[in-house]
Amino acid sequence: MNTNQFTNQSPAYNHEVGYNTTNQNNGNHFAKGLLIGGLVGAAAALLFAPKSGRELRQDISYKAQSVGEMTKDAACDLGNKAATIVKSVGERAEVVVTNVKSATQAITDQVQDAKDETVLHTKEVIADAADNIAASSQEQQNPRIVLPPEAQLPGSIVK
């Protein structure tokens, strides 16, 4: 069963390393295979060729220099690829940092707005409560007895 359909991640992504390992491994295997194949092929061609010792030594020297140049070229290519990857990772990191800063600012703004609304609402509630208390104390200073309609006698006048 393919667990990647549940995790929604590529099987080549290595969580411990943090990058796609399949392409890197393929590149490393290819470079190793190229180097080893070149050495084996050069050695086989030189050893099976009917040449004198001096010619064979010259050919071996030439082939060794050729392989050395190929190795330098491969190392330069790998260095360039590594530099490209580092640059790409740096650019992605900058984007992530920018996004985090933007999200943080948005959250800060939302919290500030909510705080301001809460303070305003609290002030309104306090003002309403103060008005109610003032009105209640005013009524207590001037009490007025009002009987409910069922407690009033017929024909009585109650003020």
Side-chain angles (χ1 to χ4, degrees), residues 86-98:
V86 167
K87 183 179 179 183
S88 174
V89 168
E91 290 171 353
R92 289 181 183 173
E94 288 179 17
V95 168
V96 168
V97 167
T98 302

Side-chain angles (χ1 to χ4, degrees), residues 19-62:
Y19 54 85
N20 192 334
T21 57
T22 303
N23 292 340
Q24 181 185 11
N25 288 340
N26 288 343
N28 288 342
H29 292 314
F30 178 75
K32 288 178 186 175
L34 181 67
L35 182 64
I36 292 170
L39 291 173
V40 170
L46 293 175
L47 294 175
F48 290 113
K51 294 184 180 181
S52 68
R54 174 178 271 162
E55 290 176 345
L56 182 61
R57 286 189 298 274
Q58 286 177 347
D59 284 348
I60 289 173
S61 174
Y62 174 73

Side-chain angles (χ1 to χ4, degrees), residues 60-70:
I60 289 173
S61 174
Y62 174 73
K63 293 294 181 181
Q65 289 175 353
S66 176
V67 168
E69 290 174 8
M70 287 174 51

Side-chain angles (χ1 to χ4, degrees), residues 64-126:
Q65 289 175 353
S66 176
V67 168
E69 290 174 8
M70 287 174 51
T71 303
K72 288 178 186 176
D73 291 343
C76 286
D77 288 344
L78 288 175
N80 290 339
K81 286 181 182 178
T84 302
I85 290 171
V86 167
K87 183 179 179 183
S88 174
V89 168
E91 290 171 353
R92 289 181 183 173
E94 288 179 17
V95 168
V96 168
V97 167
T98 302
N99 289 342
V100 168
K101 285 182 179 178
S102 297
T104 302
Q105 185 61 44
I107 290 170
T108 302
D109 292 345
Q110 289 176 352
V111 168
Q112 184 64 39
D113 291 345
K115 182 189 110 187
D116 293 343
E117 288 178 21
T118 303
V119 167
L120 182 62
H121 180 68
T122 303
K123 287 180 180 179
E124 290 173 358
V125 167
I126 290 172

